[in-house]
Amino acid sequence: MKKGGIIAIAMTAALGGMAYTVSEYKVSPEVSLHRPSMPDSVEKENPFKAEALLKSRRFASEWPETAGWTTMTADSAGNLRLVGTRYTPGLRSLATRLRAQRYAKGSLKIKTPLRAEVLVNGNTVITKTTSDSTATEQSAPLELLPEADCSIIVNLLSMTDDKATPEVTLEFVPDDKYKDVAVTSSPDMPRRVSPLSTMQGERVAAMDMSPDGKYFITRYRETLSAKETLFRTILTETASGKIISESVEKSAQWMPSGSKLYFTRKGTRDYDLYTMSVPGMATVKIASAIPDENVTVSPDGRYLFYYAKVDGAKDEGKMRRVKSPDDRIPGNRDRYYICRYDLREHVAIPLTYGGASTTIADISADGRKLLYMASREMPDKYPFYSVSLVQMDMNTFATDTIIANAGSYYTNAVYSPDARQLFVVAGPDAFDGIGANYAPEPMANNFDNQGFIMDIATRKARPVTKDFDPSVEGNPVWNGADNHIYFIGERGFFRDLYRLNPADGKITMLPVGDIQTVRGFSIGDKGARNIAVWGGSFTDDGMAYLVNVKAGKATLVDDPLKKWLGDTQFGKMEPWAFTAADGTRVDGYMCLPPDFDPAKKYPLIVYYYGGTSPTNASFYHLYSPQVFASRGYVVYTLNPSGTTGYGQAFSARHVNAWGKRTADEIIQGVKKFCREHSYVDDKKIGCLGASYGGFMTQYLLTKTDIFAAAMSHAGISNVTSYWGEGYWGYSYNSVAAAKSYPWTDPKLFTEQGSLFNADKIHTPLLLLHGTVDTNVPIGESIQLFNALKLLGREVEFVTVQGENHVISDFDNKQVWQNTIMAWFAKWLQDDPRWWDALYGE
């Protein structure tokens, strides 16, 4: 019977258990096919096999484009009868979707007299190569993941000499262990968000405006599988929206003026440099033997800038002397230097050299000055790294050190249009703390980026974001057309585009359409009328807009992922904040399952930030609230004390805390959330996090028993061992435990870790870790696993072979995500079968 647009599968008795018979399909029109002609007499030697025609229809994805297809319903026995022409071979395709409420394994069975091919999620699982007088059955094993779509396509081939009536029956027969799992089917069933939804599909990866603003490039990235990623670059006219070219070189960049592109190609010796005129698209090679493929053209068009890598000294033999904490890191002894190639004289020279690696910060608009940053490790001086900001005269090569040996919290700088001032991005402690605004907290969180305007001649700086809560992110642009500074601001869950007027310090948020998380923007150097912006949201990613600054309007350029997601059914998201016991307002969002019923009770998943960056409105990660909501969970994600984006005082609570206050706020928030939402089962609450969020998961379990299950990915169990062993352990602690050390504050490094409080943990805990994690070494999970095993507590430890801090392999991501879902299904949905199928009972 039909309910809510979904047809429940007819249930019939079958050998081996209950059979769920598909009753509704999308059916394509019959396509007439032909046997190939035979120009010679080799048919007996090499006969054409009719079943080859089954492969005639090719689908671009696992679900076909069904426009023009007919909805057909099987009879009461589940048999779908078709009418054919019989005059020529005919091919039909049937499509439907299966969905199981819980994890289930069984067999997919097809019964038909015709030749048939069955595809599940785009992969052929059954091929029937003969035509029979009566319907015969074939089967293949099938695994259904909870609340996940299983797309099924059946190709049926009728030949002119077939005797039987063209018909088909399709059913899923669960193994005995899964007979109780409810299964539904319908070709019109809206899709659910899956981990694959956040990994596959095409997105806008970047945009680039021409210097004159007349054209822009849109760069696309499409992930198809673990082995296949496609890239394309489109050139568009700004005013008309007309596409000029769909085959622009992937590496093409704009020349400093006008609307001409340049790119490099591998040549006979090193690389060749080409330019391409727009809109004519004529290509001209202008230089050969370029030392590097990644080059930046100077504003006057004469020089190319690139980096030269100098390999550090290698220790011979089996013994290696470690010279500094970072010397353990592969490549730490290598140095990168800025080089310049003269296109006129064909001469390449190094501009920097020495003990510090250097990076280009900016080049003045007239090309006369180069601004670069030099950084070096200084393990005996807090904050353990020094940064110098240096200006170089491009005519005399004379240097002027603008900022000398400052802390590593200086992160970026760009020139004003007249190159007399700089917009510097740095932490609150920069410039002797003139931008500090973190009272009443004792120390700044120097990950909370601030903006400063500095006069180069006088060396005087003034803070311009001191009272501005969002953290300054990305690469700012000081635009010459309107003398305004444009930058991305991290505002809690959102990343917005802002414009700063240096004259009066006024900051304005610009419209960016439906983008909630701006990933990047591009402005034509000669004008700021249109800004290209790209980013994502809680339910989308890779959106591209043109922002008309004067009109205050954003116009959509493309949203390819939305097209790919198609009929996906999202859970409702809405903000939910609360006030903590000390009066702090804690920001959050909630996500409800699709087909939400307020009369039901749902398990709850709680997710929080990892590190000091806030959880943001992003669909492009596997902790997306939509992924968990689609599996039948209510999701609550929050940004408690310590996150950036809410002001300096708020972010400063991350310093010398390691969970203090933050854990209390999470616990308070979860309790209040449950009290205010009667549809949440407060006995079925799960929590999860990664990296610092993994630490927080473990630490929360030492503070409360409100959680029924927890997952920690790459979490820190012992702050001291992480401080000493992680590649960036001691340097991350230069903020998280600023000026505190295991020998000066042993309580901070022990009492805040889960290892020294392992006996307080009673919640079932899943520990996940990559085997080659260099940020948080796998020993952090090993230590806590051993402790909990000795204590007889419920704990599981799953390693991901060959993965570092972030699981990057496409296939590994899927198994990793399934492991998390199976763990929560076991403890929050009282169904251990998926976990048992993955890892045994």
Side-chain angles (χ1 to χ4, degrees), residues 648-767:
Q648 292 184 40
F650 195 88
S651 67
R653 295 172 182 174
H654 178 76
V655 182
N656 284 311
W658 276 102
K660 294 176 185 175
R661 190 173 191 161
T662 301
D664 292 338
E665 289 178 0
I666 293 172
I667 294 167
Q668 290 176 42
V670 171
K671 290 180 176 179
K672 287 192 174 188
F673 188 91
C674 293
R675 284 198 299 268
E676 294 188 18
H677 301 94
S678 59
Y679 47 78
V680 170
D681 185 345
D682 63 5
K683 299 294 187 291
K684 297 292 183 181
I685 307 173
C687 62
L688 76 158
S691 193
Y692 187 93
F695 158 82
M696 187 56 65
T697 295
Q698 299 172 19
Y699 182 59
L700 280 169
L701 303 190
T702 71
K703 302 274 290 182
T704 182
D705 290 326
I706 65 171
F707 299 106
M711 189 288 296
S712 166
H713 172 77
I716 300 159
S717 65
N718 181 347
V719 182
T720 302
S721 59
Y722 165 67
W723 172 88
E725 292 183 40
Y727 274 3
W728 301 280
Y730 82 100
S731 57
Y732 176 77
N733 270 284
S734 69
V735 174
K739 299 184 180 180
S740 296
Y741 307 96
W743 56 90
T744 63
D745 194 349
K747 281 190 174 182
L748 175 65
F749 283 83
T750 56
E751 290 186 0
Q752 298 307 112
S754 59
L755 180 64
F756 293 94
N757 297 280
D759 59 326
K760 301 173 185 174
I761 296 178
H762 300 279
T763 303
L765 173 62
L766 170 63
L767 299 166

Side-chain angles (χ1 to χ4, degrees), residues 118-254:
V118 182
L119 296 91
V120 174
N121 295 331
N123 300 310
T124 300
V125 297
I126 298 173
T127 302
K128 184 175 180 290
T129 60
T130 60
S131 177
D132 305 299
S133 58
T134 60
T136 58
E137 183 179 280
Q138 290 197 11
S139 66
L142 182 64
E143 179 184 52
L144 297 178
L145 303 185
E147 299 292 350
D149 303 309
C150 180
S151 299
I152 299 177
I153 297 173
V154 180
N155 292 323
L156 296 172
L157 178 65
S158 299
M159 302 300 288
T160 55
D161 56 352
D162 287 348
K163 306 299 183 186
T165 302
E167 58 187 11
V168 64
T169 302
L170 191 69
E171 60 187 18
F172 171 67
V173 181
D175 295 343
D176 287 343
K177 189 175 182 179
Y178 306 97
K179 288 193 297 183
D180 63 315
V181 177
V183 180
T184 55
S185 173
S186 171
D188 298 316
M189 185 162 53
R191 285 192 293 166
R192 291 288 172 87
V193 176
S194 71
L196 281 175
S197 305
T198 68
M199 295 161 60
Q200 290 182 309
E202 187 176 53
R203 298 166 170 82
V204 172
M207 301 176 75
D208 197 1
M209 293 288 296
S210 65
D212 58 12
K214 292 181 179 180
Y215 305 93
F216 63 90
I217 287 173
T218 308
R219 306 182 195 276
Y220 294 82
R221 175 190 176 100
E222 182 177 11
T223 302
L224 301 176
S225 66
K227 299 179 180 178
E228 191 171 10
T229 299
L230 303 179
F231 299 90
R232 64 188 180 103
T233 303
I234 289 178
L235 175 64
T236 306
E237 185 178 58
T238 305
S240 65
K242 176 184 176 182
I243 294 178
I244 305 299
S245 174
E246 296 189 39
S247 57
V248 177
E249 285 277 341
K250 183 175 126 179
S251 62
Q253 300 179 64
W254 293 106

Side-chain angles (χ1 to χ4, degrees), residues 497-519:
L497 181 61
Y498 293 93
R499 178 179 61 185
L500 166 67
N501 185 343
D504 58 14
K506 182 180 179 181
I507 300 175
T508 305
M509 184 191 297
L510 300 177
V512 290
D514 291 332
I515 295 175
Q516 295 175 314
T517 298
V518 174
R519 301 199 186 280

Side-chain angles (χ1 to χ4, degrees), residues 325-330 332 377 383-385 447 658 691 716 719 721-737 772-777 804-806:
D326 283 359
D327 197 28
R328 298 179 299 130
I329 303 173
N332 181 67
E377 184 185 6
F384 315 128
Y385 297 88
F447 291 143
W658 276 102
S691 193
I716 300 159
V719 182
S721 59
Y722 165 67
W723 172 88
E725 292 183 40
Y727 274 3
W728 301 280
Y730 82 100
S731 57
Y732 176 77
N733 270 284
S734 69
V735 174
V772 293
D773 193 332
T774 54
N775 187 353
V776 178
N804 206 307
H805 195 55
V806 176

Side-chain angles (χ1 to χ4, degrees), residues 395-667:
N395 292 320
T396 66
F397 301 108
T399 59
D400 178 14
T401 302
I402 298 171
I403 298 174
N405 298 320
S408 55
Y409 33 78
Y410 289 85
T411 61
N412 209 341
V414 294
Y415 278 116
S416 63
D418 61 7
R420 294 181 179 180
Q421 298 180 92
L422 298 175
F423 180 66
V424 180
V425 180
D429 283 340
F431 299 108
D432 297 321
I434 60 171
N437 188 19
Y438 49 81
E441 303 303 321
M443 299 184 70
N445 180 339
N446 278 304
F447 291 143
D448 197 337
N449 292 327
Q450 304 299 306
F452 304 84
I453 293 179
M454 181 183 188
D455 183 277
I456 297 175
T458 65
R459 300 296 199 262
K460 290 183 178 180
R462 57 187 172 96
V464 288
T465 61
K466 185 174 181 178
D467 299 312
F468 179 70
D469 286 346
S471 175
V472 180
E473 303 295 324
N475 297 310
V477 174
W478 198 327
N479 188 61
D482 60 1
N483 198 37
H484 281 59
I485 300 167
Y486 294 80
F487 65 92
I488 295 171
E490 187 177 65
R491 180 177 57 94
F493 283 93
F494 309 108
R495 286 167 59 96
D496 308 300
L497 181 61
Y498 293 93
R499 178 179 61 185
L500 166 67
N501 185 343
D504 58 14
K506 182 180 179 181
I507 300 175
T508 305
M509 184 191 297
L510 300 177
V512 290
D514 291 332
I515 295 175
Q516 295 175 314
T517 298
V518 174
R519 301 199 186 280
F521 68 96
S522 177
I523 306 176
D525 292 341
K526 304 304 180 186
R529 177 180 174 85
N530 288 292
I531 303 177
V533 185
W534 62 97
S537 69
F538 278 122
T539 57
D540 200 357
D541 197 74
M543 296 178 274
Y545 281 85
L546 281 183
V547 177
N548 187 309
V549 177
K550 187 174 181 181
K553 180 181 178 182
T555 302
L556 181 67
V557 173
D558 201 1
D559 188 358
L561 189 64
K562 187 173 184 178
K563 302 169 192 173
W564 183 80
L565 289 170
D567 60 350
T568 299
Q569 183 182 19
F570 292 100
K572 181 183 178 182
M573 289 205 71
E574 55 186 41
W576 190 84
F578 75 96
T579 301
D582 63 358
T584 298
R585 183 186 184 277
V586 179
D587 197 12
Y589 262 82
M590 58 180 288
C591 185
L592 301 175
D595 298 325
F596 171 72
D597 182 353
K600 291 183 178 179
K601 285 282 189 179
Y602 292 90
L604 175 68
I605 294 285
V606 181
Y607 177 64
Y608 25 80
Y609 77 109
T612 190
S613 296
T615 298
N616 60 31
S618 177
F619 184 65
Y620 192 63
H621 68 94
L622 292 181
Y623 294 122
S624 165
Q626 293 290 341
V627 172
F628 291 93
S630 71
R631 299 300 183 266
Y633 298 100
V634 173
V635 181
Y636 170 43
T637 179
L638 68 161
N639 286 326
S641 286
T643 63
T644 55
Y646 297 96
Q648 292 184 40
F650 195 88
S651 67
R653 295 172 182 174
H654 178 76
V655 182
N656 284 311
W658 276 102
K660 294 176 185 175
R661 190 173 191 161
T662 301
D664 292 338
E665 289 178 0
I666 293 172
I667 294 167

